[in-house]
Amino acid sequence: QVQLVESGGGSVQVGASLRLACATPERSLSQYAVGWFRQAPGKEREFVAGISTGGRTTYYGDGLVDRFTISRDNTKDTVYLKADGLKLEDTAVYICAARQVIIPGTTADWYDVWGHGTQVTVSS
């Protein structure tokens, strides 16, 4: 199985943008559907977005499609999550997950490979 490494998190102010990346040292992420989840303290893990192996199919969590964009560059074995107009409630650890299938799922139990996450903190 691939190893997933997230990057791009940080501390930003309300309204800022960030681009998170999920990469693998193995040159095989193109064979995996990838999802992004987030988990805030005391809350359940929440689905943010998912993308198919070729990038044609994308899914988003409820109410997130207007501000989050998932994409991938298979030449770089990397999946990106762009977050615009960040809000205080977007503060969480953002975690990418993968499964060696074409179409992504929208629930955590769909995925069988997980990264360790990258922290996003939004302040006013």
Side-chain angles (χ1 to χ4, degrees):
Q1 290 183 332
V2 294
Q3 290 181 314
L4 303 176
V5 180
E6 301 93 335
S7 61
S11 296
V12 297
Q13 291 191 321
V14 170
S17 297
L18 280 176
R19 189 178 76 160
L20 309 181
C22 173
T24 176
E26 298 93 355
R27 301 191 64 180
S28 59
L29 193 59
S30 60
Q31 301 174 24
Y32 289 73
V34 174
W36 279 97
F37 292 78
R38 65 185 182 182
Q39 188 158 20
K43 295 189 176 181
E44 293 187 356
R45 190 164 292 189
E46 177 187 17
F47 173 73
V48 178
I51 190 166
S52 61
T53 52
R56 294 181 182 179
T57 300
T58 56
Y59 299 138
Y60 292 90
D62 291 342
L64 299 178
V65 66
D66 290 339
R67 298 188 298 113
F68 288 83
T69 304
I70 191 170
S71 62
R72 69 189 303 159
D73 184 346
N74 285 340
T75 66
K76 297 180 180 180
D77 287 296
T78 302
V79 172
Y80 302 99
L81 181 71
K82 179 84 180 311
D84 295 311
L86 283 163
K87 303 177 179 180
L88 295 175
E89 54 263 40
D90 293 320
T91 295
V93 175
Y94 285 72
I95 311 157
C96 68
R99 180 175 174 178
Q100 198 169 5
V101 294
I102 295 174
I103 302 298
T106 61
T107 59
D109 58 7
W110 174 259
Y111 297 91
D112 53 15
V113 182
W114 291 84
H116 293 292
T118 185
Q119 176 71 46
V120 172
T121 302
V122 185
S123 60
S124 58

